[in-house]
Amino acid sequence: MCDFDEFVFTCGHSTFRLKAYCHRARNDPYKECHYVKKLRDVWDQTCPCSECVNRAQAAAAAAAQGMHMGQEQGHGQQGQGQQGYQGQYQQQY
């Protein structure tokens, strides 16, 4: 029976990691265990899993990129408005 630890993350995901091979798996050339897998410890983590962290970072980067693109478009509109204002001002005098 191979021993495993379970790590439970704040996002609700969990992962299992091998703690120790059983006698048969240690002697197997491919380290395969075809027997009962035994859960030794459960460790509560204080952070989300790396997959959720990567998704959140990608979403934040996409949102920042979207905001950046929106600001560039806004500056272009302001520049055109100022040019139009200057043209109107010169025409009046």
Side-chain angles (χ1 to χ4, degrees):
M1 292 184 277
C2 290
D3 296 332
F4 286 85
D5 284 340
E6 181 181 18
F7 297 89
V8 180
F9 298 95
T10 57
C11 59
H13 293 121
S14 65
T15 185
F16 296 91
R17 295 198 183 143
L18 180 68
K19 186 171 187 174
Y21 287 111
C22 64
H23 178 74
R24 290 187 175 128
R26 276 194 305 265
N27 295 329
D28 187 83
Y30 301 107
K31 303 295 184 211
E32 293 178 354
C33 180
H34 302 288
Y35 301 99
V36 175
K37 292 168 178 46
K38 191 182 205 181
L39 183 63
R40 282 291 186 177
D41 295 308
V42 177
W43 301 96
D44 290 328
Q45 302 298 301
T46 58
C47 59
C49 68
S50 58
E51 196 173 308
C52 289
V53 168
N54 291 340
R55 277 192 214 139
Q57 288 175 346
Q65 183 68 22
M67 288 177 55
H68 181 66
M69 294 299 288
Q71 289 175 352
E72 285 179 4
Q73 291 173 355
H75 289 303
Q77 292 172 352
Q78 289 176 355
Q80 291 171 358
Q82 290 174 355
Q83 290 172 356
Y85 176 74
Q86 289 173 353
Q88 290 174 358
Y89 180 74
Q90 290 173 353
Q91 288 174 359
Q92 289 177 357
Y93 293 103

